[in-house]
Amino acid sequence: MEQLFMPPGEEWQAVSRKLVTVRFIVLGASLVIVTPVAAIGLGFLLGSWAAVLVVVAAVLVAAWNVWLIPRIWRAWGYAERQDDLLVTHGVMFRELTVVPYGRMQFVDVNSGPLDRKFGLATVQLHTASPASDARIPGLRADEAARLRDRLSALGEAKAAGL
């Protein structure tokens, strides 16, 4: 079944392992901010049992995400072919997007503050149809720049009919 989402014979590239660290930091920061506020607020409104329930829920969310985040990272991959780019991702619901170079209108590279701290960037591919847009998060910044330049050049060449 995996062959459907990662066709053999292609040189598949993985995203940076640092993406896992970034996602863990975002998860931790979210839980550190939301859990006390929710526990105190619900504790005042409904009693101490509600505060305990919020903490238990936060622990379960943290445990689930500690299990899930590495799997999400492993699911991301991309392959550059002669006429198109393949992007695959998804743990429970797998997705394979094929973006023909000739259909690309432009390529964005973006990087938030935490991504920049870890040297990561996201490449966003835009086509005429939003359904065929694709993004690849967690790329090393130099790889994102290389991919942007290559995809832009290939997109221009294919659109011009070269």
Side-chain angles (χ1 to χ4, degrees):
M1 188 62 146
E2 189 66 27
Q3 298 300 324
L4 176 64
F5 297 101
M6 293 185 97
E10 305 302 334
E11 189 175 327
W12 287 93
Q13 305 295 318
V15 299
S16 173
R17 175 86 173 139
K18 292 178 183 179
L19 182 62
V20 173
T21 304
V22 169
R23 299 270 169 98
F24 280 152
I25 290 170
V26 169
L27 171 66
S30 300
L31 289 175
V32 164
I33 292 168
V34 172
T35 304
V37 170
I40 291 169
L42 287 175
F44 278 131
L45 291 174
L46 303 173
S48 61
W49 64 270
V52 171
L53 190 60
V54 167
V55 172
V56 168
V59 169
L60 291 175
V61 166
W64 172 254
N65 278 284
V66 164
W67 177 82
L68 188 62
I69 288 172
R71 283 157 185 77
I72 291 171
W73 164 73
R74 278 195 300 273
W76 277 101
Y78 66 98
E80 300 172 62
R81 300 197 304 185
Q82 185 174 351
D83 295 321
D84 50 31
L85 178 75
L86 304 177
V87 180
T88 188
H89 64 94
V91 175
M92 189 171 197
F93 297 97
R94 299 285 294 156
E95 183 175 324
L96 174 66
T97 304
V98 180
V99 183
Y101 297 133
R103 299 278 177 118
M104 280 190 269
Q105 292 183 329
F106 62 98
V107 180
D108 278 337
V109 175
N110 59 61
S111 185
L114 195 53
D115 289 332
R116 285 194 306 276
K117 175 78 172 146
F118 285 88
L120 299 177
T122 296
V123 171
Q124 176 78 42
L125 308 160
H126 298 276
T127 64
S129 169
S132 62
D133 285 358
R135 75 179 184 81
I136 309 170
L139 295 175
R140 288 184 342 268
D142 60 332
E143 172 64 6
R146 182 203 66 80
L147 191 59
R148 176 202 60 217
D149 294 344
R150 183 171 190 284
L151 294 175
S152 296
L154 284 169
E156 287 176 21
K158 296 291 182 182
L162 300 176

